[in-house]
């Protein structure tokens, strides 16, 4: 069985990656789909002074569910089974670690997410993931 990982952030680009993964699953057969979103950790000491660890974790989970929603909608409408997860950490490193820990054979991801920098040919997260993994990465424009 092949494992396909699709990191999403709620952007149009990540929804297109989900659609590409659905097509890949139809072509490859016998695949397991992992859909994750990664939230960068809050690094400000002031936040942790004023909010409990539970409140911060709830924030991560809420934001993660919001980021997963467009992808889950597409997958549910297509009748595709998947495993979803909200992760917290440095985004590209966390994607690479998840892929390794779950035996993923392929990553399908968008070239641009919801980051604040626009106009780049290839998103910085996609570039970092490419440098961190030794499995195929399909980038969807």
């Amino acid at each position: 069985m092949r494992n396909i990982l699709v990191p999403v952030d709620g952007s149009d680009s990540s929804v297109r990656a989900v659609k590409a993964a659905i097509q890949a699953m139809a072509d490859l057969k016998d695949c397991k789909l992992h859909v994750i979103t990664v939230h960068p950790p809050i690094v400000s000491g002031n936040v942790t002074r004023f909010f409990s660890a539970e409140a911060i974790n709830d924030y991560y989970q809420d934001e993660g569910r919001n980021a997963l929603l467009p992808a889950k909608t597409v997958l549910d409408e297509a009748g595709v089974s998947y495993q979803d997860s909200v992760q917290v950490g440095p985004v590209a490193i966390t994607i690479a670690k998840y892929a390794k820990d779950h035996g993923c054979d392929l990553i399908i991801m968008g070239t641009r997410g919801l980051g604040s920098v626009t106009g780049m040919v290839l998103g910085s997260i996609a570039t970092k993931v490419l440098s961190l993994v030794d499995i195929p990465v399909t980038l969807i424009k």
Side-chain angles (χ1 to χ4, degrees), residues 10-141:
S11 67
D12 290 341
S13 183
S14 66
V15 170
R16 286 191 297 275
V18 169
K19 291 177 180 177
I22 292 169
Q23 182 61 49
M25 290 178 71
D27 295 342
L28 296 171
K29 310 281 189 257
D30 198 29
C31 294
K32 183 174 182 180
L33 183 62
H34 299 261
V35 180
I36 67 167
T37 188
V38 182
H39 198 289
I42 298 171
V43 293
S44 171
N46 289 332
V47 171
T48 56
R49 279 187 14 208
F50 295 109
F51 296 96
S52 69
E54 182 180 340
I56 293 170
N57 187 54
D58 288 347
Y59 166 75
Y60 290 141
Q61 294 304 312
D62 287 345
E63 289 296 307
R65 279 191 296 275
N66 289 337
L68 286 167
L69 189 58
K72 291 176 74 166
T73 300
V74 169
L75 290 164
D76 292 342
E77 287 174 359
V80 174
S81 66
Y82 59 92
Q83 177 179 332
D84 65 332
S85 178
V86 176
Q87 302 284 309
V88 178
V91 179
I93 292 169
T94 304
I95 292 168
K97 182 177 182 333
Y98 186 97
K100 183 176 182 182
D101 292 349
H102 291 84
C104 294
D105 307 295
L106 172 64
I107 298 173
I108 299 175
M109 63 187 298
T111 56
R112 286 205 200 166
L114 294 174
S116 59
V117 178
T118 57
M120 298 178 70
V121 173
L122 185 60
S124 62
I125 299 301
T127 301
K128 288 177 189 172
V129 169
L130 284 169
S131 70
L132 292 170
V133 299
D134 58 0
I135 60 173
V137 178
T138 300
L139 299 175
I140 305 299
K141 186 173 176 182

